[in-house]
Short mmCIF file of all heavy atoms in Angstrom, two decimals:
data_model
loop_
_atom_site.label_atom_id
_atom_site.label_comp_id
_atom_site.label_asym_id
_atom_site.label_seq_id
_atom_site.Cartn_x
_atom_site.Cartn_y
_atom_site.Cartn_z
N ARG A 56 22.06 3.69 18.46
CA ARG A 56 21.86 4.59 17.30
C ARG A 56 20.57 5.41 17.46
O ARG A 56 20.47 6.52 16.96
CB ARG A 56 21.81 3.75 16.02
CG ARG A 56 21.56 4.52 14.74
CD ARG A 56 21.37 3.53 13.60
NE ARG A 56 21.05 4.16 12.33
CZ ARG A 56 21.93 4.45 11.38
NH1 ARG A 56 23.21 4.19 11.58
NH2 ARG A 56 21.56 4.99 10.25
N TRP A 114 21.32 -5.05 10.16
CA TRP A 114 20.20 -4.23 10.61
C TRP A 114 20.23 -2.84 9.97
O TRP A 114 19.17 -2.24 9.73
CB TRP A 114 20.20 -4.11 12.13
CG TRP A 114 21.43 -3.45 12.70
CD1 TRP A 114 22.58 -4.06 13.09
CD2 TRP A 114 21.61 -2.04 12.91
NE1 TRP A 114 23.49 -3.12 13.54
CE2 TRP A 114 22.92 -1.87 13.45
CE3 TRP A 114 20.82 -0.92 12.70
CZ2 TRP A 114 23.43 -0.62 13.78
CZ3 TRP A 114 21.32 0.34 13.03
CH2 TRP A 114 22.62 0.47 13.57
N ARG A 115 21.43 -2.33 9.69
CA ARG A 115 21.52 -1.00 9.06
C ARG A 115 20.90 -1.02 7.67
O ARG A 115 20.21 -0.08 7.27
CB ARG A 115 22.98 -0.55 8.97
CG ARG A 115 23.56 -0.05 10.27
CD ARG A 115 24.97 0.48 10.06
NE ARG A 115 25.02 1.54 9.06
CZ ARG A 115 26.16 2.06 8.58
NH1 ARG A 115 27.33 1.58 9.01
NH2 ARG A 115 26.13 3.01 7.69
N VAL A 116 21.15 -2.10 6.93
CA VAL A 116 20.56 -2.19 5.59
C VAL A 116 19.05 -2.43 5.71
O VAL A 116 18.27 -1.86 4.94
CB VAL A 116 21.24 -3.30 4.78
CG1 VAL A 116 20.71 -3.29 3.35
CG2 VAL A 116 22.76 -3.12 4.78
N GLU A 118 17.10 -1.34 8.00
CA GLU A 118 16.49 -0.04 8.29
C GLU A 118 16.42 0.83 7.03
O GLU A 118 15.44 1.55 6.82
CB GLU A 118 17.29 0.69 9.38
CG GLU A 118 17.10 0.10 10.76
CD GLU A 118 17.64 0.99 11.87
OE1 GLU A 118 18.36 1.97 11.55
OE2 GLU A 118 17.35 0.73 13.05
N ALA A 119 17.43 0.73 6.19
CA ALA A 119 17.41 1.51 4.94
C ALA A 119 16.34 1.00 4.00
O ALA A 119 15.76 1.78 3.23
CB ALA A 119 18.78 1.46 4.27
N LYS A 122 12.90 2.74 4.16
CA LYS A 122 12.86 4.03 3.46
C LYS A 122 12.89 3.83 1.96
O LYS A 122 12.22 4.55 1.21
CB LYS A 122 14.03 4.91 3.91
CG LYS A 122 13.96 5.33 5.37
CD LYS A 122 15.13 6.24 5.72
CE LYS A 122 15.04 6.69 7.18
NZ LYS A 122 16.17 7.60 7.54
N LEU A 146 15.58 12.47 -1.78
CA LEU A 146 16.26 11.18 -1.73
C LEU A 146 17.57 11.27 -0.95
O LEU A 146 17.86 10.41 -0.11
CB LEU A 146 16.51 10.67 -3.15
CG LEU A 146 17.31 9.37 -3.26
CD1 LEU A 146 16.55 8.22 -2.61
CD2 LEU A 146 17.61 9.05 -4.72
N GLN A 147 18.36 12.29 -1.21
CA GLN A 147 19.65 12.41 -0.55
C GLN A 147 19.49 12.60 0.95
O GLN A 147 20.26 12.04 1.74
CB GLN A 147 20.43 13.59 -1.15
CG GLN A 147 21.83 13.77 -0.60
CD GLN A 147 22.72 12.56 -0.81
OE1 GLN A 147 22.65 11.90 -1.84
NE2 GLN A 147 23.55 12.24 0.17
N ALA A 148 18.48 13.35 1.36
CA ALA A 148 18.25 13.55 2.79
C ALA A 148 17.73 12.28 3.45
O ALA A 148 18.06 11.98 4.60
CB ALA A 148 17.26 14.69 3.00
N GLU A 149 16.91 11.52 2.73
CA GLU A 149 16.33 10.29 3.28
C GLU A 149 17.38 9.20 3.43
O GLU A 149 17.43 8.50 4.45
CB GLU A 149 15.22 9.80 2.34
CG GLU A 149 13.99 10.68 2.34
CD GLU A 149 12.89 10.10 3.20
OE1 GLU A 149 13.21 9.48 4.23
OE2 GLU A 149 11.73 10.27 2.85
N LEU A 150 18.19 9.00 2.40
CA LEU A 150 19.16 7.91 2.39
C LEU A 150 20.52 8.44 1.95
O LEU A 150 20.96 8.21 0.82
CB LEU A 150 18.69 6.80 1.45
CG LEU A 150 17.49 5.97 1.94
CD1 LEU A 150 16.96 5.09 0.80
CD2 LEU A 150 17.88 5.10 3.12
N PRO A 151 21.23 9.15 2.83
CA PRO A 151 22.52 9.74 2.45
C PRO A 151 23.59 8.71 2.12
O PRO A 151 24.57 9.05 1.45
CB PRO A 151 22.90 10.57 3.67
CG PRO A 151 22.14 9.96 4.81
CD PRO A 151 20.86 9.47 4.22
N ASP A 152 23.42 7.47 2.58
CA ASP A 152 24.43 6.44 2.32
C ASP A 152 24.24 5.74 0.98
O ASP A 152 25.00 4.82 0.65
CB ASP A 152 24.39 5.38 3.43
CG ASP A 152 24.92 5.91 4.76
OD1 ASP A 152 25.68 6.89 4.75
OD2 ASP A 152 24.54 5.35 5.82
N TYR A 153 23.24 6.16 0.19
CA TYR A 153 22.93 5.49 -1.07
C TYR A 153 22.76 6.50 -2.19
O TYR A 153 22.43 7.67 -1.97
CB TYR A 153 21.63 4.67 -0.93
CG TYR A 153 21.74 3.52 0.03
CD1 TYR A 153 21.55 3.72 1.40
CD2 TYR A 153 22.07 2.24 -0.41
CE1 TYR A 153 21.67 2.66 2.29
CE2 TYR A 153 22.19 1.18 0.48
CZ TYR A 153 21.99 1.40 1.83
OH TYR A 153 22.11 0.36 2.70
N ARG A 154 22.99 6.02 -3.39
CA ARG A 154 22.72 6.82 -4.59
C ARG A 154 21.74 6.06 -5.46
O ARG A 154 21.73 4.82 -5.49
CB ARG A 154 24.01 7.10 -5.37
CG ARG A 154 24.62 5.88 -6.04
CD ARG A 154 25.91 6.23 -6.77
NE ARG A 154 26.47 5.07 -7.48
CZ ARG A 154 26.26 4.82 -8.77
NH1 ARG A 154 25.51 5.64 -9.50
NH2 ARG A 154 26.81 3.77 -9.35
N LEU A 155 20.90 6.82 -6.16
CA LEU A 155 19.94 6.20 -7.06
C LEU A 155 20.66 5.75 -8.31
O LEU A 155 21.33 6.53 -8.98
CB LEU A 155 18.84 7.21 -7.42
CG LEU A 155 17.76 6.71 -8.38
CD1 LEU A 155 16.94 5.60 -7.74
CD2 LEU A 155 16.85 7.86 -8.81
N LEU A 171 18.93 1.26 -5.59
CA LEU A 171 19.83 2.13 -4.83
C LEU A 171 21.12 1.38 -4.55
O LEU A 171 21.10 0.19 -4.21
CB LEU A 171 19.17 2.54 -3.52
CG LEU A 171 17.81 3.23 -3.64
CD1 LEU A 171 17.14 3.33 -2.29
CD2 LEU A 171 17.97 4.61 -4.24
N GLU A 172 22.24 2.07 -4.70
CA GLU A 172 23.55 1.45 -4.48
C GLU A 172 24.25 2.14 -3.32
O GLU A 172 24.24 3.38 -3.23
CB GLU A 172 24.39 1.54 -5.74
CG GLU A 172 25.70 0.77 -5.65
CD GLU A 172 26.39 0.71 -7.01
OE1 GLU A 172 26.80 1.77 -7.51
OE2 GLU A 172 26.51 -0.40 -7.57
N ALA A 173 24.85 1.35 -2.43
CA ALA A 173 25.54 1.91 -1.27
C ALA A 173 26.77 2.70 -1.71
O ALA A 173 27.54 2.26 -2.56
CB ALA A 173 25.95 0.80 -0.32
N ARG A 174 26.93 3.87 -1.13
CA ARG A 174 28.12 4.67 -1.39
C ARG A 174 29.30 4.11 -0.59
O ARG A 174 29.11 3.60 0.53
CB ARG A 174 27.88 6.12 -0.98
CG ARG A 174 26.75 6.82 -1.72
CD ARG A 174 26.58 8.25 -1.21
NE ARG A 174 25.44 8.91 -1.80
CZ ARG A 174 25.47 9.58 -2.95
NH1 ARG A 174 26.62 9.67 -3.62
NH2 ARG A 174 24.39 10.17 -3.42
N PRO A 175 30.51 4.20 -1.12
CA PRO A 175 31.68 3.74 -0.34
C PRO A 175 31.78 4.43 1.01
O PRO A 175 32.26 3.85 1.99
CB PRO A 175 32.85 4.09 -1.25
CG PRO A 175 32.27 4.11 -2.64
CD PRO A 175 30.87 4.62 -2.48
N SER A 176 31.30 5.68 1.10
CA SER A 176 31.39 6.43 2.35
C SER A 176 30.47 5.88 3.43
O SER A 176 30.58 6.27 4.60
CB SER A 176 31.03 7.90 2.09
OG SER A 176 29.72 8.02 1.54
N SER A 177 29.56 4.97 3.08
CA SER A 177 28.65 4.41 4.08
C SER A 177 29.37 3.52 5.09
O SER A 177 28.87 3.27 6.18
CB SER A 177 27.54 3.59 3.39
OG SER A 177 28.08 2.40 2.82
N GLY A 178 30.54 3.03 4.71
CA GLY A 178 31.28 2.12 5.57
C GLY A 178 30.80 0.69 5.50
O GLY A 178 31.34 -0.18 6.20
N LEU A 179 29.81 0.41 4.66
CA LEU A 179 29.28 -0.94 4.50
C LEU A 179 29.88 -1.59 3.26
O LEU A 179 30.25 -0.89 2.30
CB LEU A 179 27.76 -0.89 4.36
CG LEU A 179 26.98 -0.45 5.59
CD1 LEU A 179 25.51 -0.20 5.22
CD2 LEU A 179 27.07 -1.50 6.69
N PRO A 180 29.99 -2.91 3.25
CA PRO A 180 30.44 -3.59 2.03
C PRO A 180 29.49 -3.28 0.86
O PRO A 180 28.33 -2.91 1.08
CB PRO A 180 30.37 -5.07 2.42
CG PRO A 180 30.51 -5.09 3.90
CD PRO A 180 29.80 -3.84 4.37
N PRO A 181 29.96 -3.44 -0.37
CA PRO A 181 29.12 -3.11 -1.53
C PRO A 181 27.82 -3.90 -1.54
O PRO A 181 27.80 -5.11 -1.30
CB PRO A 181 30.01 -3.49 -2.72
CG PRO A 181 31.41 -3.42 -2.20
CD PRO A 181 31.31 -3.87 -0.77
N HIS A 182 26.73 -3.22 -1.83
CA HIS A 182 25.43 -3.88 -1.96
C HIS A 182 24.47 -2.93 -2.66
O HIS A 182 24.71 -1.72 -2.74
CB HIS A 182 24.87 -4.30 -0.60
CG HIS A 182 24.56 -3.15 0.32
ND1 HIS A 182 25.50 -2.55 1.11
CD2 HIS A 182 23.40 -2.48 0.57
CE1 HIS A 182 24.97 -1.57 1.80
NE2 HIS A 182 23.67 -1.50 1.49
N ARG A 183 23.38 -3.49 -3.14
CA ARG A 183 22.31 -2.72 -3.77
C ARG A 183 20.98 -3.09 -3.14
O ARG A 183 20.78 -4.23 -2.70
CB ARG A 183 22.25 -2.98 -5.28
CG ARG A 183 23.38 -2.37 -6.07
CD ARG A 183 23.23 -2.69 -7.55
NE ARG A 183 24.34 -2.18 -8.34
CZ ARG A 183 24.53 -2.45 -9.62
NH1 ARG A 183 23.66 -3.24 -10.26
NH2 ARG A 183 25.56 -1.95 -10.28
N ILE A 184 20.07 -2.12 -3.13
CA ILE A 184 18.70 -2.33 -2.69
C ILE A 184 17.78 -2.18 -3.89
O ILE A 184 17.78 -1.13 -4.55
CB ILE A 184 18.30 -1.34 -1.58
CG1 ILE A 184 19.18 -1.53 -0.34
CG2 ILE A 184 16.82 -1.50 -1.22
CD1 ILE A 184 18.93 -0.50 0.75
#
Side-chain angles (χ1 to χ4, degrees):
R56 178 187 177 97
W114 62 269
R115 283 185 57 189
V116 186
E118 287 192 348
K122 294 182 179 181
L146 176 63
Q147 183 59 38
E149 290 260 34
L150 288 169
D152 290 337
Y153 294 84
R154 69 181 183 96
L155 180 66
L171 304 168
E172 187 171 65
R174 299 178 185 273
S176 58
S177 70
L179 293 169
H182 65 276
R183 287 180 184 172
I184 298 175

